[in-house]
Amino acid sequence: MEKILINGEDLTFDDVVDVACNYVQIELGNLEKVRQCVDFIAQKVNEKEVIYGVTTGFGAKADKVIAPEDARQLQINLLRSHS
């Protein structure tokens, strides 16, 4: 089975449809960039920086600040609510 490479450069709309609707698997390219992004977000959470949907709620609850220790669970809850 073919996998779609996620490399931050050439993802197409058809690729997104294939993943979302046809269950095509993905492969992450350049894992170092992924790690840098994860580290950046973790740093901002620890610094209690306000980032919509990361350290705040969503939509009508965007003004509610999320405690750093709850930021991870917020993201898990978001994925669950959209699945």
Side-chain angles (χ1 to χ4, degrees), residues 39-55:
D39 291 345
F40 175 82
I41 292 296
Q43 176 185 348
K44 297 303 178 186
V45 168
N46 288 333
E47 292 172 355
K48 298 181 181 178
E49 189 160 327
V50 176
I51 304 171
Y52 175 79
V54 176
T55 59

Side-chain angles (χ1 to χ4, degrees), residues 1-70:
M1 176 181 239
E2 184 179 336
K3 292 182 180 180
I4 294 174
L5 179 65
I6 307 294
N7 60 15
E9 296 178 17
D10 54 5
L11 186 67
T12 68
F13 181 78
D14 289 337
D15 291 338
V16 174
V17 170
D18 279 341
V19 170
C21 299
N22 301 323
Y23 304 101
V24 173
Q25 293 184 347
I26 66 164
E27 181 177 334
L28 294 176
N30 198 341
L31 294 179
E32 180 55 31
K33 276 190 174 183
V34 173
R35 173 56 46 206
Q36 288 174 0
C37 292
V38 169
D39 291 345
F40 175 82
I41 292 296
Q43 176 185 348
K44 297 303 178 186
V45 168
N46 288 333
E47 292 172 355
K48 298 181 181 178
E49 189 160 327
V50 176
I51 304 171
Y52 175 79
V54 176
T55 59
T56 73
F58 302 93
K61 295 187 177 184
D63 62 337
K64 305 295 182 200
V65 177
I66 306 301
E69 60 270 16
D70 296 330

